[in-house]
Amino acid sequence: GILAKFDFERPDILLFNPDMPNTDTDVLLSTIMASPRLQNMIVVLICSGEPDAIEEYCHQMNLHGYYMTDAGLDGIVDYLNQFCE
């Protein structure tokens, strides 16, 4: 259902928490990144943890970036603005 929603709404940016329960993160992100209809959507992980591992995961999945929430969300708007310029 989530892919149908994206296809209908066509969001510019997806902020994705990879720790969401009951979600096969790898399959969902692979499907999103492979979809021609969603190719212009920016996908950014919002997460905490080990930055090197998260960066490697983003490269493996061809994601656009990640935002570490360990220090809070105060800088997320500035971070996301880089994708909209």
Side-chain angles (χ1 to χ4, degrees):
I2 194 167
L3 294 175
K5 184 74 170 168
F6 289 153
D7 192 42
F8 179 75
E9 295 290 337
R10 303 278 177 118
D12 294 325
I13 297 176
L14 168 64
L15 300 177
F16 185 80
N17 179 347
D19 296 325
M20 289 189 328
N22 303 319
T23 302
D24 189 338
T25 298
D26 292 348
V27 171
L28 178 61
L29 291 175
S30 294
T31 303
I32 289 170
M33 297 310 291
S35 172
R37 295 180 59 95
L38 300 174
Q39 68 183 1
N40 293 325
M41 183 170 64
I42 304 298
V43 179
V44 174
L45 294 185
I46 53 171
C47 51
S48 60
E50 177 58 43
D52 291 338
I54 293 167
E55 184 173 353
E56 177 61 29
Y57 182 76
C58 288
H59 286 295
Q60 287 175 340
M61 301 302 288
N62 295 316
L63 305 180
H64 298 93
Y66 62 93
Y67 185 84
M68 301 301 290
T69 59
D70 296 331
L73 296 174
D74 290 342
I76 197 165
V77 172
D78 291 334
Y79 178 77
L80 295 175
N81 276 336
Q82 73 177 323
F83 298 106
C84 298
E85 296 176 346

